[in-house]
Amino acid sequence: MSEPLTTPGEGFHPHLHDRPGRPSSPLSTRLHHIRADDLDDGTAQTGGMRRFAAVSGKTVGSEKLWMGQTHVSPATSSSDHHHGESETAIHVISGHPEFVFLDDSGEGPREVRLRTAPGDYIFVPPFVPHREENPDPDEEAVVVIARSTQEAIVVNLPGLYALAPDGG
């Protein structure tokens, strides 16, 4: 990898301005380079964790995707929450976060804990209540998150419970 780092704003493609039937905006006509130290903490948050947006409607003009990082401090649990209509894919970068949800496919709801390691992936379907926990007393857990919506939808909940089909 001997290529030099790019500078923000590089990757402009003038031929993309003339897309039939679609208005062009400056954000949708070029590649975007988001540096690690430029992540945006002005995104939806849940107690016990910190989210940072890299790719979103706000940061780069994305229309169907949100991507960023979540950090969970040592010996911390997030609040219970779900992500509305978003499908969420999670890639564990460091630490051993645990993802907790209620499985109500059996005789009754039971709490399920998915214990992960770096390199693992988790998929969270829309509207599924869950929480992230970091049981390690010393190491922060860091994950990369991709969502199927333009911004991070976060609905914080008073408890970890299965939603009724009508969303309530």
Side-chain angles (χ1 to χ4, degrees):
M1 291 262 166
S2 60
E3 294 289 318
L5 291 174
T6 59
T7 29
E10 285 184 351
F12 180 74
H13 298 282
H15 67 280
L16 294 177
H17 283 290
D18 302 322
R19 293 186 289 176
R22 190 140 192 223
S24 179
S25 77
L27 290 178
S28 65
T29 59
R30 61 184 176 93
L31 299 182
H32 296 266
H33 180 177
I34 300 91
R35 297 189 186 283
D37 58 354
D38 289 336
L39 297 180
D40 179 12
D41 65 355
T43 189
Q45 300 292 333
T46 296
M49 61 193 327
R50 295 181 339 256
R51 288 191 187 91
F52 300 91
V55 174
S56 70
K58 178 181 165 189
T59 61
V60 300
S62 66
E63 296 177 6
K64 300 176 185 172
L65 179 70
W66 184 95
M67 190 171 191
Q69 289 182 2
T70 297
H71 297 242
V72 182
S73 297
T76 302
S77 293
S78 76
S79 300
D80 299 325
H81 61 282
H82 69 75
H83 301 290
E85 66 189 60
S86 276
E87 290 185 332
T88 302
I90 301 169
H91 181 236
V92 179
I93 300 298
S94 64
H96 296 275
E98 297 181 1
F99 297 84
V100 183
F101 69 100
L102 289 180
D103 181 358
D104 61 354
S105 63
E107 291 182 23
R110 69 179 179 90
E111 189 175 281
V112 175
R113 180 175 303 275
L114 304 175
R115 293 179 171 91
T116 66
D120 289 355
Y121 290 84
I122 297 288
F123 174 71
V124 181
F127 298 102
V128 174
H130 61 281
R131 73 175 168 266
E132 287 84 20
E133 297 182 359
N134 182 6
D136 190 294
D138 302 311
E139 184 181 8
E140 178 179 65
V142 178
V143 300
V144 170
I145 297 176
R147 293 213 176 95
S148 62
T149 53
Q150 179 188 45
E151 294 298 336
I153 297 172
V154 177
V155 178
N156 293 306
L157 302 169
L160 190 63
Y161 56 87
L163 294 175
D166 65 0

